[in-house]
Amino acid sequence: MERLRVGFIGLGIMGSAMAMNIHKAGFPLIVYNRTKSKTEPFAKLGIPVAESPREVAEKSDVVIDMVTDAPDVEEVLLGPNGVVHGAHPGLIVIDMSTNSPDHARYFARELGKYGIEFLDAPVTGGDIGARQGTLTIMVGGKYEVFEKVKPILQAMGKTIIYAGDVGNGQMLKLLNQIVVGIDMLAVAEAMALARKAGIDMEKLFTVLSTGAANSFTVQYYMPKMMKGDFEPGFRAAHLKKDLRYALETANRLNVPLPGTALTLQLYNALVAKGLGEKGTQALLKLYYEMAGISDG
């Protein structure tokens, strides 16, 4: 059976690796990125580079977007030169960005006016998961559409979860981000106290990584934090955005989330300090500052 043609919009830290894995899996690919320099690795491989999201849609069966936030998704999908203007029968859009269930339902409604099918399919697993093709992907939308594009998703992820109706993929992702954010807070607090108490950080890492406190944050981010490496695998400003969406949803459903609220405020402080483009692990710098530790 002929492989679906895939268009990929958004070649940031995650998107570039995800698109490259689609190419490696043998799917015909066309890419677009607002900053053209990020398309150069693809052009060097002979992969077509589109001039607009509209062109991506015209030349694809499936369009994937992986951009920063809901306004960016709206621009590439519904904007003046957006995907809707390249709509054709059978076109499927997969939004792999993280925003909110309400946004997912809105995009589905608007695209539906042009006969376009829509799935919300945010991911988790960080930059390492994107590079290795081991992401966890949470998908909301029509099951038959999900089944049609599943081989494409399997090129990017190891665990593919069909979550049900449109919006449920985003809901699962926000729940994931609550745990991710609070876990980072816990690691930063432990490391700050360890420094003040004179505990060897390697010993702390051994305890946390081999006992009940073990987590992806401990395994992947704590070694970076110990070395003072705060460059992004996932940007602090993006986690702040995700936690805000989680709290907005919780407020609407009257669910108290005090831990999430505290974590969001700490990331607000981190962004206010100009560290929003650093990795989420830069939260440690804030804790070191509050504790009077000078070399954080």
PDB file of all heavy atoms in Angstrom, residues 234-251:
ATOM      1  N   PHE A 234      13.515  20.712  27.311  1.00  0.00           N
ATOM      2  CA  PHE A 234      12.160  21.249  27.299  1.00  0.00           C
ATOM      3  C   PHE A 234      12.212  22.578  28.037  1.00  0.00           C
ATOM      4  O   PHE A 234      12.675  22.644  29.179  1.00  0.00           O
ATOM      5  CB  PHE A 234      11.188  20.279  27.972  1.00  0.00           C
ATOM      6  CG  PHE A 234       9.748  20.687  27.869  1.00  0.00           C
ATOM      7  CD1 PHE A 234       9.094  20.655  26.646  1.00  0.00           C
ATOM      8  CD2 PHE A 234       9.049  21.100  28.991  1.00  0.00           C
ATOM      9  CE1 PHE A 234       7.765  21.038  26.542  1.00  0.00           C
ATOM     10  CE2 PHE A 234       7.716  21.477  28.897  1.00  0.00           C
ATOM     11  CZ  PHE A 234       7.074  21.449  27.668  1.00  0.00           C
ATOM     12  N   ARG A 235      11.781  23.647  27.396  1.00  0.00           N
ATOM     13  CA  ARG A 235      11.969  24.994  27.938  1.00  0.00           C
ATOM     14  C   ARG A 235      11.067  25.269  29.142  1.00  0.00           C
ATOM     15  O   ARG A 235       9.909  24.867  29.182  1.00  0.00           O
ATOM     16  CB  ARG A 235      11.726  26.039  26.853  1.00  0.00           C
ATOM     17  CG  ARG A 235      12.819  26.073  25.804  1.00  0.00           C
ATOM     18  CD  ARG A 235      12.626  27.221  24.826  1.00  0.00           C
ATOM     19  NE  ARG A 235      13.792  27.334  23.966  1.00  0.00           N
ATOM     20  CZ  ARG A 235      13.964  26.685  22.827  1.00  0.00           C
ATOM     21  NH1 ARG A 235      13.031  25.842  22.411  1.00  0.00           N
ATOM     22  NH2 ARG A 235      15.050  26.861  22.098  1.00  0.00           N
ATOM     23  N   ALA A 236      11.611  26.031  30.094  1.00  0.00           N
ATOM     24  CA  ALA A 236      10.865  26.402  31.295  1.00  0.00           C
ATOM     25  C   ALA A 236       9.598  27.167  30.944  1.00  0.00           C
ATOM     26  O   ALA A 236       8.541  26.961  31.551  1.00  0.00           O
ATOM     27  CB  ALA A 236      11.756  27.227  32.222  1.00  0.00           C
ATOM     28  N   ALA A 237       9.684  28.060  29.955  1.00  0.00           N
ATOM     29  CA  ALA A 237       8.507  28.845  29.561  1.00  0.00           C
ATOM     30  C   ALA A 237       7.406  27.949  29.026  1.00  0.00           C
ATOM     31  O   ALA A 237       6.217  28.250  29.198  1.00  0.00           O
ATOM     32  CB  ALA A 237       8.901  29.887  28.514  1.00  0.00           C
ATOM     33  N   HIS A 238       7.766  26.843  28.387  1.00  0.00           N
ATOM     34  CA  HIS A 238       6.761  25.933  27.850  1.00  0.00           C
ATOM     35  C   HIS A 238       6.058  25.172  28.975  1.00  0.00           C
ATOM     36  O   HIS A 238       4.843  24.947  28.914  1.00  0.00           O
ATOM     37  CB  HIS A 238       7.401  24.957  26.867  1.00  0.00           C
ATOM     38  CG  HIS A 238       7.913  25.625  25.628  1.00  0.00           C
ATOM     39  ND1 HIS A 238       8.527  24.931  24.610  1.00  0.00           N
ATOM     40  CD2 HIS A 238       7.914  26.929  25.246  1.00  0.00           C
ATOM     41  CE1 HIS A 238       8.877  25.775  23.652  1.00  0.00           C
ATOM     42  NE2 HIS A 238       8.516  26.992  24.025  1.00  0.00           N
ATOM     43  N   LEU A 239       6.819  24.775  30.002  1.00  0.00           N
ATOM     44  CA  LEU A 239       6.182  24.106  31.136  1.00  0.00           C
ATOM     45  C   LEU A 239       5.263  25.066  31.870  1.00  0.00           C
ATOM     46  O   LEU A 239       4.159  24.683  32.296  1.00  0.00           O
ATOM     47  CB  LEU A 239       7.225  23.537  32.097  1.00  0.00           C
ATOM     48  CG  LEU A 239       6.651  22.769  33.293  1.00  0.00           C
ATOM     49  CD1 LEU A 239       5.768  21.607  32.853  1.00  0.00           C
ATOM     50  CD2 LEU A 239       7.768  22.261  34.202  1.00  0.00           C
ATOM     51  N   LYS A 240       5.685  26.312  32.005  1.00  0.00           N
ATOM     52  CA  LYS A 240       4.816  27.324  32.614  1.00  0.00           C
ATOM     53  C   LYS A 240       3.484  27.399  31.870  1.00  0.00           C
ATOM     54  O   LYS A 240       2.407  27.414  32.482  1.00  0.00           O
ATOM     55  CB  LYS A 240       5.504  28.694  32.590  1.00  0.00           C
ATOM     56  CG  LYS A 240       4.604  29.841  33.018  1.00  0.00           C
ATOM     57  CD  LYS A 240       5.195  31.196  32.681  1.00  0.00           C
ATOM     58  CE  LYS A 240       4.121  32.274  32.777  1.00  0.00           C
ATOM     59  NZ  LYS A 240       4.607  33.608  32.419  1.00  0.00           N
ATOM     60  N   LYS A 241       3.549  27.417  30.546  1.00  0.00           N
ATOM     61  CA  LYS A 241       2.341  27.465  29.723  1.00  0.00           C
ATOM     62  C   LYS A 241       1.455  26.248  29.968  1.00  0.00           C
ATOM     63  O   LYS A 241       0.234  26.357  30.132  1.00  0.00           O
ATOM     64  CB  LYS A 241       2.758  27.574  28.258  1.00  0.00           C
ATOM     65  CG  LYS A 241       1.634  27.505  27.243  1.00  0.00           C
ATOM     66  CD  LYS A 241       1.539  26.132  26.584  1.00  0.00           C
ATOM     67  CE  LYS A 241       2.782  25.747  25.835  1.00  0.00           C
ATOM     68  NZ  LYS A 241       2.640  24.418  25.179  1.00  0.00           N
ATOM     69  N   ASP A 242       2.062  25.066  30.028  1.00  0.00           N
ATOM     70  CA  ASP A 242       1.302  23.830  30.223  1.00  0.00           C
ATOM     71  C   ASP A 242       0.615  23.809  31.586  1.00  0.00           C
ATOM     72  O   ASP A 242      -0.542  23.394  31.708  1.00  0.00           O
ATOM     73  CB  ASP A 242       2.216  22.618  30.090  1.00  0.00           C
ATOM     74  CG  ASP A 242       2.823  22.485  28.707  1.00  0.00           C
ATOM     75  OD1 ASP A 242       2.383  23.205  27.788  1.00  0.00           O
ATOM     76  OD2 ASP A 242       3.756  21.670  28.551  1.00  0.00           O
ATOM     77  N   LEU A 243       1.325  24.245  32.613  1.00  0.00           N
ATOM     78  CA  LEU A 243       0.742  24.264  33.957  1.00  0.00           C
ATOM     79  C   LEU A 243      -0.410  25.265  34.038  1.00  0.00           C
ATOM     80  O   LEU A 243      -1.403  25.035  34.747  1.00  0.00           O
ATOM     81  CB  LEU A 243       1.812  24.588  35.000  1.00  0.00           C
ATOM     82  CG  LEU A 243       2.932  23.547  35.140  1.00  0.00           C
ATOM     83  CD1 LEU A 243       4.001  24.044  36.112  1.00  0.00           C
ATOM     84  CD2 LEU A 243       2.378  22.197  35.601  1.00  0.00           C
ATOM     85  N   ARG A 244      -0.284  26.366  33.302  1.00  0.00           N
ATOM     86  CA  ARG A 244      -1.374  27.345  33.265  1.00  0.00           C
ATOM     87  C   ARG A 244      -2.626  26.723  32.658  1.00  0.00           C
ATOM     88  O   ARG A 244      -3.738  26.892  33.184  1.00  0.00           O
ATOM     89  CB  ARG A 244      -0.938  28.576  32.461  1.00  0.00           C
ATOM     90  CG  ARG A 244      -2.055  29.599  32.243  1.00  0.00           C
ATOM     91  CD  ARG A 244      -1.525  30.875  31.608  1.00  0.00           C
ATOM     92  NE  ARG A 244      -0.870  30.638  30.344  1.00  0.00           N
ATOM     93  CZ  ARG A 244      -1.499  30.521  29.175  1.00  0.00           C
ATOM     94  NH1 ARG A 244      -2.817  30.585  29.118  1.00  0.00           N
ATOM     95  NH2 ARG A 244      -0.827  30.331  28.061  1.00  0.00           N
ATOM     96  N   TYR A 245      -2.460  25.989  31.559  1.00  0.00           N
ATOM     97  CA  TYR A 245      -3.620  25.321  30.946  1.00  0.00           C
ATOM     98  C   TYR A 245      -4.224  24.291  31.903  1.00  0.00           C
ATOM     99  O   TYR A 245      -5.446  24.135  31.975  1.00  0.00           O
ATOM    100  CB  TYR A 245      -3.213  24.639  29.642  1.00  0.00           C
ATOM    101  CG  TYR A 245      -3.078  25.578  28.459  1.00  0.00           C
ATOM    102  CD1 TYR A 245      -1.970  25.502  27.619  1.00  0.00           C
ATOM    103  CD2 TYR A 245      -4.062  26.515  28.166  1.00  0.00           C
ATOM    104  CE1 TYR A 245      -1.851  26.349  26.519  1.00  0.00           C
ATOM    105  CE2 TYR A 245      -3.946  27.369  27.074  1.00  0.00           C
ATOM    106  CZ  TYR A 245      -2.842  27.276  26.249  1.00  0.00           C
ATOM    107  OH  TYR A 245      -2.724  28.101  25.168  1.00  0.00           O
ATOM    108  N   ALA A 246      -3.373  23.571  32.630  1.00  0.00           N
ATOM    109  CA  ALA A 246      -3.875  22.575  33.579  1.00  0.00           C
ATOM    110  C   ALA A 246      -4.719  23.242  34.660  1.00  0.00           C
ATOM    111  O   ALA A 246      -5.801  22.743  35.014  1.00  0.00           O
ATOM    112  CB  ALA A 246      -2.709  21.814  34.210  1.00  0.00           C
ATOM    113  N   LEU A 247      -4.244  24.369  35.173  1.00  0.00           N
ATOM    114  CA  LEU A 247      -4.984  25.064  36.227  1.00  0.00           C
ATOM    115  C   LEU A 247      -6.273  25.675  35.695  1.00  0.00           C
ATOM    116  O   LEU A 247      -7.293  25.684  36.392  1.00  0.00           O
ATOM    117  CB  LEU A 247      -4.113  26.138  36.870  1.00  0.00           C
ATOM    118  CG  LEU A 247      -3.119  25.619  37.905  1.00  0.00           C
ATOM    119  CD1 LEU A 247      -2.188  26.734  38.353  1.00  0.00           C
ATOM    120  CD2 LEU A 247      -3.844  25.041  39.116  1.00  0.00           C
ATOM    121  N   GLU A 248      -6.253  26.173  34.463  1.00  0.00           N
ATOM    122  CA  GLU A 248      -7.487  26.714  33.876  1.00  0.00           C
ATOM    123  C   GLU A 248      -8.548  25.622  33.771  1.00  0.00           C
ATOM    124  O   GLU A 248      -9.726  25.856  34.075  1.00  0.00           O
ATOM    125  CB  GLU A 248      -7.194  27.301  32.492  1.00  0.00           C
ATOM    126  CG  GLU A 248      -6.427  28.619  32.534  1.00  0.00           C
ATOM    127  CD  GLU A 248      -6.014  29.103  31.153  1.00  0.00           C
ATOM    128  OE1 GLU A 248      -6.302  28.401  30.151  1.00  0.00           O
ATOM    129  OE2 GLU A 248      -5.403  30.183  31.069  1.00  0.00           O
ATOM    130  N   THR A 249      -8.119  24.440  33.355  1.00  0.00           N
ATOM    131  CA  THR A 249      -9.054  23.315  33.253  1.00  0.00           C
ATOM    132  C   THR A 249      -9.562  22.906  34.634  1.00  0.00           C
ATOM    133  O   THR A 249     -10.759  22.661  34.826  1.00  0.00           O
ATOM    134  CB  THR A 249      -8.366  22.124  32.560  1.00  0.00           C
ATOM    135  OG1 THR A 249      -7.878  22.530  31.278  1.00  0.00           O
ATOM    136  CG2 THR A 249      -9.334  20.962  32.382  1.00  0.00           C
ATOM    137  N   ALA A 250      -8.645  22.850  35.599  1.00  0.00           N
ATOM    138  CA  ALA A 250      -9.034  22.476  36.963  1.00  0.00           C
ATOM    139  C   ALA A 250      -9.989  23.487  37.568  1.00  0.00           C
ATOM    140  O   ALA A 250     -10.955  23.118  38.251  1.00  0.00           O
ATOM    141  CB  ALA A 250      -7.790  22.349  37.833  1.00  0.00           C
ATOM    142  N   ASN A 251      -9.754  24.765  37.309  1.00  0.00           N
ATOM    143  CA  ASN A 251     -10.650  25.805  37.837  1.00  0.00           C
ATOM    144  C   ASN A 251     -12.048  25.639  37.282  1.00  0.00           C
ATOM    145  O   ASN A 251     -13.047  25.796  38.009  1.00  0.00           O
ATOM    146  CB  ASN A 251     -10.105  27.191  37.485  1.00  0.00           C
ATOM    147  CG  ASN A 251      -8.896  27.571  38.314  1.00  0.00           C
ATOM    148  OD1 ASN A 251      -8.665  27.015  39.378  1.00  0.00           O
ATOM    149  ND2 ASN A 251      -8.113  28.523  37.815  1.00  0.00           N
TER     150      ASN A 251
END
